[in-house]
Structure formats: C-alpha cells, structure tokens
Amino acid sequence: MGNQKQKCIIVSAGDMNTDVFKKISVSEKDLIIACDGGYDNCLKYSITPHILLGDFDSVQHELPENIERITLNCEKDDTDTMSAVKLALEKGFSDILITGALGGRIDHTLANLQTLLYIEQNGCKGRICGDREDIMLISNETVVIPSDKSKTLSIFTPDNKAEGVTIEKAKYCIFNYTMENNIPIGVSNEFTDEDAVITVKKGRLFIMLIQK
C-alpha cells in the first residue's frame, strides 16, 4: 500500500510558538490535515491544509468553505489527532508526521505519544515535531541520529522492557542492556562529535531530541 504523496502532516491544536513547518520541510506533495484548532496553527504560519478535521470546538478562526471538511461528533472515542491518523492510514500513507501535539495539557501529550504507538503497530513510521522536541518511535532496529550538541538525547521504552538496547557514540553508552519502563536511565544523554547509533533488538524505544 502506498501513496503518490510523500507524507501526511497532521497539525493539531497544541502549542506552536515557532515555525515548525520550516523544520519539517513541507513539500507540495505532502498531504496536510488540520485537526480542529490546528487550523489556527496553520494560519499562523501561512500554511493551507488540504483537509479540515474535528468537532471544531477549539478552532478560533472561521473555517473556509473551499477546503474539504470532515466534521466529527463531539462525543467520540478517538481524539481528533487519532482520527486524522486513521484517515492518513486509510489513504495509504506510511509516513506520518504530527505537529502542534505537545505542550499544554499533559493528557493530550500522553495521548499523542500513544498515537505514535498506534502508527507503529500499523507498520508505518510516525514522528512528533514540536517547538523544542522531535520524537520518534523505533522497533527492533538500529538507527543513526545525527549529532546535534544543541539538543539532549533521551530514550525511553513504552514496553515493560526492551531487550538488547545499545547506545553508541553518545556521551553515555550502554551495550546490550535490558531497559525497563520504570527506570528512566535513558534521560538527558548528550551528543559527541559523532552521530549517535541506537539499537533495540527486541522491543520499542521512544527517541526524544530536546532543544537545550
């Protein structure tokens, strides 16, 4: 399953005090879905979404008539962001980036982290990009994270445990470690001059880059 567009960008109604769109390199081939008050975030940085989705209880600006609109019931099980993710998956996107999803209410932040898990469970790649944060989820794989000394590098597992966790070429390294979700050993690592290499043999890891 695939889509001729590159990725789906979902814009939620959380904090967006910097032009995150510059950091995520929006392409004309990307599909942009604004979730409820995410439309206000789009207007703030002169981005025109392709789809408006939500119950529209938090949007401040008048919604335009010339953009496709999907109105959700106010009483629903899924968050607006989760509904947008499900729509992106239905349309065949395997690369989903969520912004405007951090800051504000901590329950919304946790819900959006859970949404990354849902994306991964459907065999797709998900990422959350915020004002100061960039969060990705990896599963049973090795990734190379480009060195950036302006950021801290934190790693957590959402599972009871993640086995075979190795962090190489960062300031603090571990090798073939079993990481558990009740011990925050992976918080606030630092980059060296080399790119960091992170491996998890069995399980999943949140990788968080936080601007210092």
Side-chain angles (χ1 to χ4, degrees), residues 13-35:
D15 291 348
M16 192 180 291
N17 298 313
T18 60
D19 191 348
V20 175
F21 297 105
K22 289 183 178 178
K23 183 165 64 171
I24 62 180
S25 301
V26 180
S27 164
E28 63 180 14
K29 293 183 179 181
D30 295 334
L31 175 72
I32 302 174
I33 302 175
C35 295

Short mmCIF file of all heavy atoms in Angstrom, two decimals, residues 13-35:
data_model
loop_
_atom_site.label_atom_id
_atom_site.label_comp_id
_atom_site.label_asym_id
_atom_site.label_seq_id
_atom_site.Cartn_x
_atom_site.Cartn_y
_atom_site.Cartn_z
N ALA A 13 -3.84 21.08 17.72
CA ALA A 13 -4.12 22.39 18.31
C ALA A 13 -3.22 22.76 19.48
O ALA A 13 -3.47 23.73 20.18
CB ALA A 13 -5.58 22.45 18.75
N GLY A 14 -2.16 21.96 19.72
CA GLY A 14 -1.26 22.26 20.83
C GLY A 14 -0.35 23.44 20.55
O GLY A 14 -0.48 24.13 19.53
N ASP A 15 0.60 23.66 21.46
CA ASP A 15 1.49 24.82 21.34
C ASP A 15 2.29 24.77 20.04
O ASP A 15 2.83 23.72 19.65
CB ASP A 15 2.47 24.85 22.52
CG ASP A 15 1.77 25.17 23.83
OD1 ASP A 15 0.60 25.58 23.79
OD2 ASP A 15 2.40 25.00 24.89
N MET A 16 2.37 25.90 19.37
CA MET A 16 3.23 26.05 18.20
C MET A 16 3.70 27.50 18.16
O MET A 16 3.12 28.35 17.50
CB MET A 16 2.50 25.67 16.91
CG MET A 16 3.44 25.53 15.71
SD MET A 16 2.59 25.07 14.18
CE MET A 16 2.10 23.40 14.54
N ASN A 17 4.75 27.75 18.93
CA ASN A 17 5.25 29.12 19.08
C ASN A 17 6.41 29.43 18.15
O ASN A 17 6.92 30.55 18.14
CB ASN A 17 5.69 29.33 20.54
CG ASN A 17 4.52 29.19 21.50
OD1 ASN A 17 3.45 29.74 21.28
ND2 ASN A 17 4.71 28.42 22.57
N THR A 18 6.86 28.44 17.39
CA THR A 18 7.87 28.66 16.35
C THR A 18 7.36 28.06 15.05
O THR A 18 6.43 27.24 15.05
CB THR A 18 9.21 28.00 16.73
OG1 THR A 18 9.00 26.58 16.88
CG2 THR A 18 9.76 28.57 18.03
N ASP A 19 7.99 28.44 13.95
CA ASP A 19 7.55 27.95 12.65
C ASP A 19 8.09 26.54 12.43
O ASP A 19 9.11 26.33 11.78
CB ASP A 19 8.02 28.90 11.54
CG ASP A 19 7.37 28.58 10.20
OD1 ASP A 19 6.74 27.52 10.09
OD2 ASP A 19 7.50 29.40 9.26
N VAL A 20 7.41 25.57 13.02
CA VAL A 20 7.84 24.18 12.92
C VAL A 20 7.83 23.70 11.47
O VAL A 20 8.60 22.82 11.09
CB VAL A 20 6.91 23.29 13.79
CG1 VAL A 20 7.22 21.82 13.61
CG2 VAL A 20 7.03 23.69 15.25
N PHE A 21 7.00 24.31 10.62
CA PHE A 21 6.89 23.89 9.24
C PHE A 21 8.23 24.02 8.50
O PHE A 21 8.51 23.24 7.60
CB PHE A 21 5.80 24.67 8.53
CG PHE A 21 4.43 24.43 9.10
CD1 PHE A 21 3.82 25.39 9.90
CD2 PHE A 21 3.76 23.24 8.86
CE1 PHE A 21 2.57 25.17 10.43
CE2 PHE A 21 2.50 23.01 9.40
CZ PHE A 21 1.91 23.98 10.18
N LYS A 22 9.04 24.98 8.88
CA LYS A 22 10.36 25.12 8.26
C LYS A 22 11.25 23.93 8.62
O LYS A 22 12.03 23.44 7.80
CB LYS A 22 11.02 26.43 8.70
CG LYS A 22 10.39 27.67 8.11
CD LYS A 22 11.15 28.92 8.54
CE LYS A 22 10.54 30.17 7.91
NZ LYS A 22 11.25 31.41 8.35
N LYS A 23 11.13 23.46 9.84
CA LYS A 23 11.96 22.35 10.31
C LYS A 23 11.56 21.03 9.65
O LYS A 23 12.40 20.16 9.43
CB LYS A 23 11.85 22.24 11.83
CG LYS A 23 12.73 21.18 12.45
CD LYS A 23 12.87 21.34 13.96
CE LYS A 23 11.57 21.18 14.70
NZ LYS A 23 11.75 21.14 16.17
N ILE A 24 10.29 20.88 9.31
CA ILE A 24 9.85 19.60 8.76
C ILE A 24 9.81 19.60 7.24
O ILE A 24 9.45 18.60 6.63
CB ILE A 24 8.46 19.21 9.32
CG1 ILE A 24 7.39 20.23 8.91
CG2 ILE A 24 8.51 19.07 10.82
CD1 ILE A 24 6.01 19.91 9.44
N SER A 25 10.21 20.69 6.62
CA SER A 25 10.35 20.76 5.16
C SER A 25 9.09 20.30 4.44
O SER A 25 9.04 19.22 3.84
CB SER A 25 11.55 19.91 4.71
OG SER A 25 12.74 20.36 5.31
N VAL A 26 8.08 21.11 4.48
CA VAL A 26 6.82 20.78 3.82
C VAL A 26 7.01 20.78 2.31
O VAL A 26 7.54 21.72 1.72
CB VAL A 26 5.73 21.79 4.21
CG1 VAL A 26 4.42 21.43 3.52
CG2 VAL A 26 5.54 21.82 5.72
N SER A 27 6.58 19.70 1.67
CA SER A 27 6.64 19.56 0.22
C SER A 27 5.25 19.73 -0.35
O SER A 27 4.24 19.45 0.30
CB SER A 27 7.20 18.19 -0.15
OG SER A 27 6.95 17.88 -1.51
N GLU A 28 5.19 20.16 -1.61
CA GLU A 28 3.88 20.31 -2.26
C GLU A 28 3.21 18.96 -2.47
O GLU A 28 2.01 18.89 -2.73
CB GLU A 28 4.04 21.04 -3.59
CG GLU A 28 4.88 20.31 -4.62
CD GLU A 28 5.00 21.07 -5.92
OE1 GLU A 28 4.67 22.27 -5.95
OE2 GLU A 28 5.42 20.43 -6.91
N LYS A 29 3.97 17.87 -2.32
CA LYS A 29 3.40 16.53 -2.47
C LYS A 29 2.85 15.99 -1.15
O LYS A 29 2.25 14.92 -1.12
CB LYS A 29 4.47 15.57 -3.01
CG LYS A 29 4.90 15.88 -4.43
CD LYS A 29 5.90 14.83 -4.92
CE LYS A 29 6.32 15.11 -6.35
NZ LYS A 29 7.29 14.08 -6.84
N ASP A 30 3.06 16.71 -0.06
CA ASP A 30 2.57 16.26 1.24
C ASP A 30 1.08 16.56 1.39
O ASP A 30 0.58 17.56 0.87
CB ASP A 30 3.33 16.96 2.38
CG ASP A 30 4.80 16.60 2.41
OD1 ASP A 30 5.15 15.51 1.94
OD2 ASP A 30 5.60 17.40 2.92
N LEU A 31 0.40 15.68 2.11
CA LEU A 31 -1.00 15.92 2.48
C LEU A 31 -1.01 16.54 3.88
O LEU A 31 -0.41 15.99 4.81
CB LEU A 31 -1.79 14.62 2.48
CG LEU A 31 -3.23 14.74 2.98
CD1 LEU A 31 -4.08 15.48 1.94
CD2 LEU A 31 -3.84 13.37 3.27
N ILE A 32 -1.70 17.66 4.05
CA ILE A 32 -1.77 18.35 5.33
C ILE A 32 -3.19 18.28 5.86
O ILE A 32 -4.14 18.73 5.20
CB ILE A 32 -1.32 19.81 5.21
CG1 ILE A 32 0.11 19.89 4.66
CG2 ILE A 32 -1.39 20.51 6.57
CD1 ILE A 32 0.59 21.30 4.38
N ILE A 33 -3.33 17.70 7.06
CA ILE A 33 -4.63 17.63 7.72
C ILE A 33 -4.58 18.51 8.96
O ILE A 33 -3.72 18.33 9.82
CB ILE A 33 -4.98 16.19 8.13
CG1 ILE A 33 -4.97 15.25 6.92
CG2 ILE A 33 -6.33 16.15 8.83
CD1 ILE A 33 -5.18 13.79 7.28
N ALA A 34 -5.47 19.49 9.05
CA ALA A 34 -5.57 20.35 10.23
C ALA A 34 -6.65 19.81 11.15
O ALA A 34 -7.82 19.66 10.74
CB ALA A 34 -5.88 21.79 9.83
N CYS A 35 -6.26 19.49 12.39
CA CYS A 35 -7.21 18.96 13.37
C CYS A 35 -7.77 20.09 14.21
O CYS A 35 -7.05 20.68 15.03
CB CYS A 35 -6.53 17.94 14.27
SG CYS A 35 -5.98 16.47 13.43
#
